[in-house]
Each structure stands twice: as C-alpha cells, then as structure tokens.
Amino acid sequence: MVEIRHPIATEFVYSGWWFRQTIDIAGERVWGQISWLDLKKEAEFRLPESVDPARRPGRMEIDFTRGLRIRRFRIWIADELIYDEVA
C-alpha cells in the first residue's frame, strides 16, 4: 500500500498475488489483469470519481528482478511522477 498525499489524498494498493495483478485506489478496483504467461510491467487506469471528479489518468510501472522481486515501483497521475521507490 502507498499513501498518496499529492495531487490527491488516497491509498494506492497493487497486488500481484499468483497470476492476478490488480490496482485498487480508495478501495475501488481501477485495473486488473490475469497474467498466466506474462506479468504486465505497466498499467494505465483512471482515478475513481470518488477520489477525483475529473477522473484524471494514472499509470504504474514496475521493474522486476529475475526472481520476480520488485526492483523499482513508480506511479504517475496526469503525467506527474508522484511516487518512485527503488529497492
């Protein structure tokens, strides 16, 4: 879970459990993918109206190591990088 404070205040939750990848924002599912053969490294979504009435676009990028550990995790909202973590 990532707590976002700017440009909106909300919780961002990414899950990559088994073969399913999901993104929830403020408890609402905004993106999901079944990844049997290929983990998605990028996801584009729209913010839920309850968080952002303008429903701005968002994007997440993940870089994985060979052992599928997260190496880098980034979140953009409306082309503004709001979170960048390197493990």
Side-chain angles (χ1 to χ4, degrees):
M1 178 186 70
V2 175
E3 272 193 52
I4 299 172
R5 301 218 185 271
H6 174 77
I8 57 169
T10 191
E11 291 181 348
F12 180 102
V13 178
Y14 167 79
S15 175
W17 185 248
W18 288 90
F19 299 104
R20 184 181 186 138
Q21 293 177 277
T22 60
I23 296 173
D24 294 341
I25 296 178
E28 294 184 47
R29 177 89 14 105
V30 295
W31 180 83
Q33 177 73 40
I34 302 296
S35 304
W36 291 105
L37 302 174
D38 185 29
L39 285 174
K40 301 297 180 195
K41 297 177 184 179
E42 293 185 23
E44 294 185 3
F45 54 88
R46 290 257 176 210
L47 295 172
E49 189 173 352
S50 62
V51 171
D52 181 26
R55 298 209 63 220
R56 287 178 281 183
R59 187 173 83 239
M60 176 205 63
E61 288 184 5
I62 301 177
D63 295 329
F64 294 100
T65 65
R66 285 184 175 216
L68 294 181
R69 296 184 82 120
I70 295 175
R71 178 178 30 223
R72 188 171 189 184
F73 186 84
R74 293 179 280 189
I75 304 169
W76 280 265
I77 293 179
D79 296 323
E80 178 184 352
L81 181 62
I82 62 162
Y83 186 82
D84 188 358
E85 182 177 342
V86 179

